[in-house]
Amino acid sequence: MGADGDRSHRVLLITGPVGVGKTSVAAAVGDLLAGAAIPHAVIDLDWLACYWPSPLDDPFNFALELRNLRSMARNYLDAGADRLVLAGVVESRADRERYAEAIGVDLAVCRLSADLAVIRQRLIQRHGSGDDDGLRWHLRRSRELEQILDLARVEDFTVATDRPVADVAKAVATATGWV
């Protein structure tokens, strides 16, 4: 429930390892909400943390991400959004609570899953040739995040990304009760 006591605002955070399809699925959930005439916003959390240099004690700029999310979420909710769809990585229960606190609205968390071989292919397509260092980092990080997420169990439900994005989005939106 939001800080103002309004239960109509709901937030979905789509998480998973690098390359699983979080941003694509979040955008497709946004399309479903638009088709159902439900006021909403889609936020890619990575962009809220995109700042250089990162503090040594916060290499992924999580504190900055939360500050930016706090402002953006409030702006969208004040503008009339009934739903917020977030795409990003949540690595622990404590971080999940920090997201909920920043937004001021209870949230559901969906973990997307895919075989690491599929993720590898997606990352190769994303990084193409010439970004060998970036590709190696993202491949290593996807394996690392799989292990972190397996242990943390931050999700309320999991959806496999082994089908077209529109179908995955429909499964996610159905699991939240939004469509």
Side-chain angles (χ1 to χ4, degrees), residues 47-118:
W47 286 106
L48 302 185
C50 193
Y51 173 78
W52 186 90
S54 302
L56 293 176
D57 63 342
D58 188 8
F60 295 108
N61 286 320
F62 188 56
L64 178 62
E65 178 184 320
L66 290 172
R67 283 191 3 231
N68 287 335
L69 178 60
R70 182 175 288 112
S71 297
M72 287 186 74
R74 181 52 38 211
N75 289 339
Y76 283 127
L77 295 171
D78 287 349
D82 289 329
R83 306 286 190 278
L84 298 179
V85 182
L86 313 177
V89 176
V90 56
E91 294 186 29
S92 69
R93 286 269 173 194
D95 287 351
R96 177 184 171 145
E97 292 306 314
R98 290 176 72 190
Y99 280 118
E101 178 186 322
I103 301 164
V105 177
D106 292 335
L107 58 96
V109 177
C110 171
R111 178 178 174 184
L112 297 181
S113 67
D115 289 334
L116 285 175
V118 171

Side-chain angles (χ1 to χ4, degrees), residues 11-17 20-23 25-26 29 45 84-91 93 96 99 106-114 146 149 153-161 163 165 167-178:
V11 178
L12 170 65
L13 194 158
I14 299 172
T15 194
V20 77
K22 297 178 296 292
T23 302
V25 171
V29 169
L45 296 174
L84 298 179
V85 182
L86 313 177
V89 176
V90 56
E91 294 186 29
R93 286 269 173 194
R96 177 184 171 145
Y99 280 118
D106 292 335
L107 58 96
V109 177
C110 171
R111 178 178 174 184
L112 297 181
S113 67
E146 274 294 310
L149 293 171
R153 302 206 179 272
V154 297
E155 70 275 6
D156 297 306
F157 59 96
T158 301
V159 175
T161 60
R163 52 198 150 164
V165 171
D167 294 344
V168 174
K170 177 79 170 162
V172 169
T174 299
T176 63
W178 288 3

Side-chain angles (χ1 to χ4, degrees), residues 30-38:
D31 292 343
L32 288 172
L33 294 172
I38 298 171

